[in-house]
Amino acid sequence: MQAVLLIDFGSTFTKLTAVDLEERRILAAAQSFTTVESDVMQGFNCALEILQEQLGGVEFIKRLACSSAAGGLRMVASGLVPSLTAKAAKLAAFGAGAKVIKTFSYELTDEDIDVIDDIAPDIFLLTGGTDGGNVKVIQHNAGLIATAKKPFPIVIAGNRSAAKVCHEVIASDIHPTYITENVMPELNRLNIAPAQAVIREIFLDRIVSAKGLSHEKALIEGIIMPTPASVLAALSLLSKGTEKTEGIGEIMCADLGGATTDVYSIAKGYPLNPSVMLSGLREPFEKRSVEGDIGMRYSAKGIVDAQGLEEIINISGLSKEEAENYLSEISKDKSRLPSDNKTKAMDFALAALAIRTALIRHAGELERIYTPSGAVYKQQGKDLTGIDKIILTGGALVHSDNPQAILDIAISNIEESSLVPRNPKAIVDRGYILSAMGLLSTYDEESAINIMKQYIGGHVDRTGQ
Amino acid sequence: MEKKTIVIGVIGADVHAVGIQILYYAFSEAGFNVVNLGVMVSQEEYIEAAIESNAEAIVVSSLYGHGELDCQGFREKCEEAGLEGILLYVGGNIVVGKQPFEDVEKRFKAMGFDRVFGPGTAPETTIDALKEDLLGIK
Ligand code: B12
């Protein structure tokens, strides 16, 4: 046996997955509450004990961890034009596994700096201008961000002509500063990998230790990435495959949480029809988006705002009063679980509409323009209409009796112009193994993809509290 | 010579894709840094591209006959977005029907375009104009 321990320090649960590389199978999985206030190791030890009870005490040849504990990797970004460098910065940060608390465009103001100080991000990403393009705004913003009082590292990934000046203005003891390649070196061309590499480096060097996540260096050889980055790595591997193992092709994934909903697409997203013009920023093949206002409990109100109470009533079959009552209940008690058929129907409707909203925001948009000689079409973002598999994960989806029905409702009643998948099959990651497999992929790709192909869509028992 | 940046594209719902490609090569060849937005470009897209790339001129092409409508309010939007005084050119098939070019030119100039080029204008004419307006070379 060649046992590897994969650890995911989540915001609520610390999840452990033990795998055997020789037989390429999951040995056991366990979880325990994350205890950030005291020491994350407490929750870890607790989960490890449960795991070892099942395993009868195995020796691990490798331990790998990812983390979204202590708020995850919290970032603030700034760019120039909202649909261009500001969007590129956001895509870069999301893809690096960050939570983007806020994105600024154009010139920052003193008030904005107060807001940033209040947020106290883990990393600030400064962008703006194509290479050789606008220097004024990024330099102005560098001057202002230098006045922030809270300490945080700053990544400069804007117009290369301005990088040095920005660095000179910003770099200080409280704002260690890193220069990397422009996130949008030419108009509409995204170049986010270099910025993501620097973000990850900073995450490893500074943030993990600052958040008290690596007290026991010997026990965990390293928290190697933020959890969402690990999920993205797993999805990418599963989609593309390796030299020896075929991937499953273009896929999407929706992770529905209590506070946020993440959507991933591993897909080119080019127009399917040659007469459609692709315009705007070319989005990444591996794209992650995060909806901070869409979630089953903390952000249930965002679902209502986005889709309307009417739609929730239609789907759940409840009366207006019943629906409103449940919404007010869950806003008071975030750990409220559905207890009967009516509350189950409400959670079903909320889940479907959360996914609908998040899919629409993630996918591209087709604009139809009428001309005297007929209609012409223009596409912004990715065309995901042909994606036939969506992996679902997150509490409400994993515990649902009928995830396919949730997905079917999610993709119904959507404007024709939204390029969301038209007929996707739901595949459920019941065992929450995606993040674990993303970690494993950095160590043994073959095992990771083979385990995913066996277990995703199937069942993994995760014992614990 | 410092390379001047210009933004080009075919405005509105216009899909005529060949001419703009020729202009892209001609302008690049002449020493400009050209941001080519291709076809079906909205006013906002030209403006956003000019902001990020720090362009000093926007060259609008229109071939399908609706150019005048598509160009309305362009100058005002540029000013609103902070591109005060940016050079605006327009050309292509902008004369529709049997009307004298001078009338069309007048109307486009009233809209705030600095130069208006009639049908059949060679790229060299525009290049000379750009050199004069951006670099002071006559
Ligand atoms: C091919 C073509 C099409 C193809 C385009 C395919 C494609 N994706 O490129 C299709 C079939 C789709 C098409 C559709 C239409 N077309 Co058509 N099309 C043509 C055609 C035959 C050739 C265009 C071309 O490629 N020319 C070659 C290139 C190199 O030349 P160019 O585009 O003119 O560009 C040069 C100059 O104009 C100039 N230039 C261009 N822009 C600018 C800007 C500045 C600032 C300057 C200085 C110079 C400049 O420099 C360029 C390089 O030398 C022309 C007729 C013609 N012979 O020009 C009609 C023509 C342009 N089309 C026309 C029309 C009306 C249409 C339609 C509305 C309906 C129709 N009758 O089919 C639709 C519109 C669709 C839409 N939404 O845009 C008319 C336009 C009439 C007008 N403006 O008064 C034309 C002139 C035909 C005609 N005589 O009726 N068309």
Side-chain angles (χ1 to χ4, degrees):
Chain A
M1 191 191 306
Q2 280 199 301
V4 170
L5 180 61
L6 305 158
I7 307 151
D8 175 356
F9 291 107
S11 46
T12 359
F13 289 109
T14 294
K15 303 188 195 77
L16 305 189
T17 307
V19 297
D20 175 17
L21 301 186
E22 257 165 28
E23 289 186 15
R24 291 191 176 146
R25 64 185 187 96
I26 294 179
L27 295 168
Q31 67 180 26
S32 175
F33 283 110
T34 297
T35 45
V36 182
E37 287 75 24
S38 41
D39 180 347
V40 288
M41 295 318 292
Q42 210 176 303
F44 167 76
N45 286 329
C46 201
L48 187 60
E49 212 169 287
I50 302 169
L51 192 78
Q52 288 290 20
E53 262 168 39
Q54 299 173 57
L55 294 172
V58 299
E59 284 287 312
F60 294 107
I61 58 161
K62 185 87 185 167
R63 296 159 200 261
L64 298 163
C66 60
S67 166
S68 58
L73 172 59
R74 300 167 65 257
M75 288 185 62
V76 171
S78 77
L80 177 46
V81 173
S83 63
L84 297 171
T85 45
K87 183 173 176 193
K90 202 155 118 179
L91 285 167
F94 277 152
K99 234 183 216 176
V100 183
I101 313 288
K102 208 166 165 61
T103 310
F104 294 92
S105 315
Y106 303 113
E107 291 185 356
L108 290 169
T109 64
D110 290 326
E111 291 73 33
D112 293 339
I113 300 301
D114 292 340
V115 171
I116 294 165
D117 267 331
D118 279 344
I119 295 171
D122 294 323
I123 299 177
F124 186 92
L125 177 59
L126 179 72
T127 75
T130 53
D131 282 347
N134 185 292
V135 289
K136 226 179 85 203
V137 172
I138 192 172
Q139 282 180 11
H140 168 94
N141 290 349
L144 275 183
I145 200 69
T147 67
K149 291 177 198 72
K150 292 274 172 58
F152 47 80
I154 294 173
V155 177
I156 301 172
N159 183 351
R160 60 190 287 267
S161 318
K164 219 174 133 215
V165 177
C166 290
H167 185 272
E168 274 164 19
V169 174
I170 301 171
S172 69
D173 289 345
I174 61 165
H175 299 134
T177 305
Y178 304 74
I179 295 179
T180 184
E181 285 173 38
N182 196 345
V183 288
M184 194 185 80
E186 286 164 42
L187 204 88
N188 289 336
R189 186 166 74 79
L190 208 57
N191 172 45
I192 53 180
Q196 290 175 332
V198 176
I199 291 167
R200 186 165 156 198
E201 209 177 285
I202 299 172
F203 174 79
L204 296 184
D205 286 359
R206 314 179 54 89
I207 296 165
V208 171
S209 53
K211 291 196 168 180
L213 294 174
S214 65
H215 290 327
E216 299 197 36
K217 271 245 152 70
L219 192 58
I220 298 168
E221 281 152 44
I223 294 181
I224 58 175
M225 52 182 129
T227 304
S230 187
V231 172
L232 193 58
L235 291 168
S236 170
L237 175 65
L238 181 62
S239 166
K240 290 191 251 182
T242 63
E243 254 171 45
K244 289 192 205 124
T245 309
E246 209 186 330
I248 66 169
E250 298 198 336
I251 45 168
M252 290 185 73
C253 170
D255 181 353
L256 175 54
T260 61
T261 301
D262 290 21
V263 174
Y264 303 80
S265 61
I266 314 294
K268 287 198 197 77
Y270 298 156
L272 292 179
N273 185 331
S275 69
V276 174
M277 295 297 153
L278 185 57
S279 82
L281 195 65
R282 304 297 184 261
E283 294 191 350
F285 177 70
E286 296 166 5
K287 176 182 173 183
R288 169 176 178 247
S289 59
V290 182
E291 306 313 326
D293 61 334
I294 302 294
M296 291 298 287
R297 291 294 178 265
Y298 295 90
S299 312
K301 187 179 173 298
I303 305 175
V304 183
D305 291 346
Q307 298 289 332
L309 189 61
E310 198 66 20
E311 190 70 354
I312 293 176
I313 293 167
N314 284 343
I315 296 170
S316 65
L318 268 63
S319 72
K320 186 160 181 272
E321 291 67 38
E322 288 170 325
E324 278 172 345
N325 276 344
Y326 188 63
L327 287 169
S328 103
E329 262 180 53
I330 59 175
S331 80
K332 282 179 211 126
D333 177 10
K334 310 292 193 239
S335 57
R336 171 86 157 88
L337 289 173
S339 43
D340 54 19
N341 282 342
K342 288 198 166 173
T343 47
K344 272 190 187 151
M346 268 303 279
D347 265 15
F348 177 92
L350 286 173
L353 294 176
I355 294 184
R356 181 186 295 174
T357 312
L359 286 178
I360 291 172
R361 293 186 191 166
H362 182 98
E365 186 79 31
L366 194 65
E367 191 185 351
R368 186 208 298 248
I369 304 164
Y370 292 98
T371 73
S373 58
V376 289
Y377 297 89
K378 189 167 161 179
Q379 175 184 329
Q380 305 260 5
K382 293 168 98 171
D383 182 343
L384 301 169
T385 53
I387 300 293
D388 59 1
K389 297 180 259 327
I390 301 187
I391 298 178
L392 302 178
T393 182
L397 299 173
V398 168
H399 299 299
S400 156
D401 308 330
N402 195 350
Q404 184 66 50
I406 293 182
L407 186 58
D408 290 344
I409 297 288
I411 58 152
S412 68
N413 203 6
I414 293 181
E415 300 268 346
E416 195 62 24
S417 60
S418 172
L419 301 172
V420 300
R422 294 293 188 251
N423 195 14
K425 184 170 168 289
I427 303 175
V428 184
D429 178 21
R430 292 203 195 273
Y432 293 107
I433 64 165
L434 276 176
S435 61
M437 292 308 120
L439 287 170
L440 186 59
S441 74
T442 64
Y443 184 67
D444 180 349
E445 253 186 10
E446 278 306 324
S447 293
I449 187 165
N450 280 288
I451 290 174
M452 279 192 279
K453 285 177 90 167
Q454 279 175 68
Y455 290 90
I456 290 179
H459 200 82
V460 177
D461 278 317
R462 191 174 287 279
T463 49
Q465 11 158 288
Chain B
M1 169 186 109
E2 177 205 353
K3 267 199 176 184
K4 298 285 185 185
T5 300
I6 62 177
V7 171
I8 68 170
V10 187
I11 199 165
D14 199 330
V15 301
H16 293 93
V18 184
I20 201 70
Q21 214 54 31
I22 293 179
L23 294 181
Y24 172 70
Y25 286 115
F27 295 160
S28 302
E29 205 55 30
F32 293 97
N33 179 25
V34 189
V35 176
N36 182 8
L37 299 176
V39 299
M40 291 179 76
V41 182
S42 68
Q43 292 188 1
E44 289 73 17
E45 285 170 307
Y46 286 104
I47 291 168
E48 291 177 346
I51 294 173
E52 289 278 8
S53 62
N54 205 27
E56 291 179 60
I58 296 174
V59 178
V60 175
S61 168
S62 176
L63 297 154
Y64 71 158
H66 309 281
E68 220 173 307
L69 209 61
D70 291 336
C71 287
Q72 273 170 19
F74 201 171
R75 174 60 78 187
E76 288 80 359
K77 263 192 209 159
C78 285
E79 284 175 1
E80 195 68 52
L83 295 173
E84 295 102 347
I86 190 166
L87 206 55
L88 285 186
Y89 288 4
V90 64
N93 301 328
I94 53 169
V95 182
V96 185
K98 285 196 190 102
Q99 47 174 336
F101 172 66
E102 290 68 34
D103 289 0
V104 176
E105 184 180 25
K106 223 188 250 164
R107 291 203 300 273
F108 273 99
K109 285 209 160 155
M111 277 197 262
F113 282 85
D114 297 289
R115 289 189 193 248
V116 184
F117 301 92
T121 306
E124 289 69 33
T125 315
T126 317
I127 291 167
D128 288 343
L130 284 168
K131 285 190 173 160
E132 185 180 335
D133 294 347
L134 294 178
L135 302 160
I137 303 169
K138 273 222 163 186

